[in-house]
C-alpha cells in the first residue's frame, strides 16, 4: 500500500464519518482514571484569548470545541479543516449553529490559506496520518503569524501497549503502514517540529484506562478496521479474555502515553 492509497483509506473508510473516532473517544471518556478530561486539559494549555484567529487541522468531529463550548470567548474565529469531507460535515453538524466556526475539507499538506493568518494552529492526534509530515509542518508554520504557536498532540511509543499485545496474542495483525508513533510520536516530535520551529516543548498527559465493559473495548478494537486485520475467532477470544479479567480483577488496566507538543 503506498501513501496515496493510505490517504484514500483515511478519507473514504476510516474517517468517512465520525463513528470510528467516536468509539475511541468514548472508551477514553468512560474508562480514563485521570479525573481531568483530556480535551479540557489541552484547552487550558491553548490559553485562547478573545479574537485570536485559530486553525484546527484534522478537526475530526470537533471534540475540543464540543467539550469546551461553554468556556469559549464570545469572539473567537475558529477555522476547522479535515481531509475528510464527512468529518468536516460531522464537526459542522455539532457546531454550525455557532458563528465562531467555519469549516473546510482540505489536506494539511496544502493548506488553502495565505501566509501568517492564525495565532494558533492545533493538530490534535493527526500528524502521524499525513504522508509527508515535514511538508505539513512547513504548511502549519507558514499559516501562523510570526510568534504564533502550534499545538500538535500525539501518543508515545508505549501508548495502550497492553491492548496491542493482547490483540497480537490473539492473532490480529497490524499494518506496518500504521506504526503511528514511529511517524510522529512524543519521542520524535521535538526533532520533527524542530526543523521548522525555534522552540519545542512536550507536555505529557498522565493517565491510564481501567476498562470494565468488554463490549466498549470491542467497539474500540473494531473501529481500527483497516489498520488492524481481524479474524472473527481472534475477536471472540479477546472479548472472552477481557470479560474474564473484568470478572476476576474488576477490570483491565491499559497504560496510556500521550500529550501535546507545543512549537513556536
Ligand atoms: C485521530 S483523528 C483526530 C480528530 C480530532 N483532532 C480529535 O482529536 O478528535 C485524525 C483526523 O485527521 C484527519 N486527517 C488525516 N489526514 C489528514 C490530512 N492530511 N489533512 C487534514 N486532515 C487529515 C482525519 O480525517 C481525522 O479526522
Amino acid at each position: 500500500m503506498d501513501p496515496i492509497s493510505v490517504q484514500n483509506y483515511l478519507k473514504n473508510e476510516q474517517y468517512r464519518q465520525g463513528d470510528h473516532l467516536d468509539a475511541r473517544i468514548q472508551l477514553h471518556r468512560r474508562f480514563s482514571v485521570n479525573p481531568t478530561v483530556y480535551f479540557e486539559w489541552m484547552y487550558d494549555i491553548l490559553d485562547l484569548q478573545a479574537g485570536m484567529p485559530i486553525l484546527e487541522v484534522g478537526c475530526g468531529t470537533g471534540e475540543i470545541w464540543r467539550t469546551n463550548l461553554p468556556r469559549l470567548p464570545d469572539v473567537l474565529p475558529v477555522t476547522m479543516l479535515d481531509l475528510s469531507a464527512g468529518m468536516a460535515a460531522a464537526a459542522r453538524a455539532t457546531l454550525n449553529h455557532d458563528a465562531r466556526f467555519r469549516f473546510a475539507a482540505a489536506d494539511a499538506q496544502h493548506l488553502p490559506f495565505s501566509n501568517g493568518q492564525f495565532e494558533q494552529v492545533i493538530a490534535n492526534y493527526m500528524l502521524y496520518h499525513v504522508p509527508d509530515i515535514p511538508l505539513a509542518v512547513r504548511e502549519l508554520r507558514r499559516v501562523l503569524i510570526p510568534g504564533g504557536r502550534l499545538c500538535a498532540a500525539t501518543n508515545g511509543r508505549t501508548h495502550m501497549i497492553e491492548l496491542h499485545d493482547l490483540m497480537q496474542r490473539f492473532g490480529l495483525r497490524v499494518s506496518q503502514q500504521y506504526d503511528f508513533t514511529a511517524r510522529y510520536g512524543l519521542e520524535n516530535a521535538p526533532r520533527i517540529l524542530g526543523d521548522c520551529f525555534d522552540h519545542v516543548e512536550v507536555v505529557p498527559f498522565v493517565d491510564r484506562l481501567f476498562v470494565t465493559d468488554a463490549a466498549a473495548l470491542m467497539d474500540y478494537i473494531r473501529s481500527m478496521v483497516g489498520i488492524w486485520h481481524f479474524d472473527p475467532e481472534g475477536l471472540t477470544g479477546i472479548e472472552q479474555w477481557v470479560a474474564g479479567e473484568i470478572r476476576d480483577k474488576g477490570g483491565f488496566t491499559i497504560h496510556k502515553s500521550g500529550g501535546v507538543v507545543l512549537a513556536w
Side-chain angles (χ1 to χ4, degrees):
M1 219 192 275
D2 66 18
I4 298 302
S5 54
V6 172
Q7 273 217 307
N8 283 338
Y9 159 74
L10 293 173
K11 202 163 29 171
N12 301 323
E13 293 181 47
Q14 175 58 229
Y15 297 117
R16 189 169 62 85
Q17 54 192 33
D19 52 347
H20 290 145
L21 181 60
D22 274 342
R24 297 199 285 274
I25 289 175
Q26 283 313 315
L27 189 84
H28 288 285
R29 285 233 179 232
R30 286 183 62 196
F31 303 111
S32 288
V33 168
N34 188 332
T36 305
V37 173
Y38 164 77
F39 286 105
E40 291 175 8
W41 173 84
M42 78 157 299
Y43 182 80
D44 287 338
I45 288 178
L46 293 173
D47 191 24
L48 302 181
Q49 307 297 319
M52 251 186 195
I54 309 295
L55 171 65
E56 187 187 2
V57 295
C59 64
T61 51
E63 194 61 25
I64 302 170
W65 311 103
R66 183 176 16 205
T67 302
N68 294 290
L69 215 44
R71 308 166 70 200
L72 300 191
D74 289 344
V75 180
L76 190 73
V78 182
T79 302
M80 300 184 49
L81 175 145
D82 202 285
L83 178 70
S84 153
M87 281 306 214
R92 185 193 294 273
T94 313
L95 301 166
N96 80 340
H97 58 280
D98 193 318
R100 290 171 289 196
F101 299 94
R102 66 186 177 120
F103 303 87
D107 186 340
Q109 297 167 116
H110 308 285
L111 292 174
F113 309 113
S114 52
N115 296 355
Q117 282 197 25
F118 300 99
E119 280 198 44
Q120 290 213 45
V121 172
I122 302 164
N124 198 53
Y125 291 96
M126 66 77 60
L127 268 180
Y128 43 57
H129 283 314
V130 176
D132 188 339
I133 296 173
L135 173 61
V137 172
R138 285 197 297 278
E139 278 292 90
L140 302 179
R141 178 76 193 86
R142 180 182 67 74
V143 301
L144 278 167
I145 61 165
R149 192 173 68 166
L150 169 67
C151 176
T154 189
N155 294 319
R157 266 202 307 271
T158 56
H159 184 63
M160 300 185 82
I161 194 163
E162 298 84 353
L163 179 63
H164 299 149
D165 285 352
L166 179 67
M167 290 165 76
Q168 278 173 333
R169 226 162 54 229
F170 280 90
L172 274 54
R173 287 175 304 102
V174 66
S175 161
Q176 289 306 313
Q177 287 284 345
Y178 290 100
D179 188 353
F180 289 1
T181 56
R183 305 201 72 240
Y184 176 77
L186 285 187
E187 294 80 7
N188 61 11
R191 178 180 55 73
I192 293 169
L193 299 186
D195 285 343
C196 276
F197 291 87
D198 294 335
H199 308 281
V200 180
E201 184 186 348
V202 176
V203 190
F205 181 68
V206 178
D207 202 0
R208 65 180 190 281
L209 296 172
F210 188 65
V211 178
T212 56
D213 178 354
L217 190 67
M218 296 315 292
D219 287 345
Y220 181 102
I221 291 173
R222 287 195 189 90
S223 81
M224 294 191 286
V225 59
I227 297 170
W228 285 83
H229 303 286
F230 303 143
D231 74 89
E233 223 173 280
L235 289 176
T236 306
I238 291 172
E239 186 160 15
Q240 286 171 351
W241 186 90
V242 174
E245 283 290 287
I246 294 169
R247 194 180 50 241
D248 299 343
K249 300 182 187 160
F252 175 33
T253 295
I254 303 174
H255 163 92
K256 295 210 261 184
S257 167
V260 299
V261 188
L262 303 171
W264 66 100

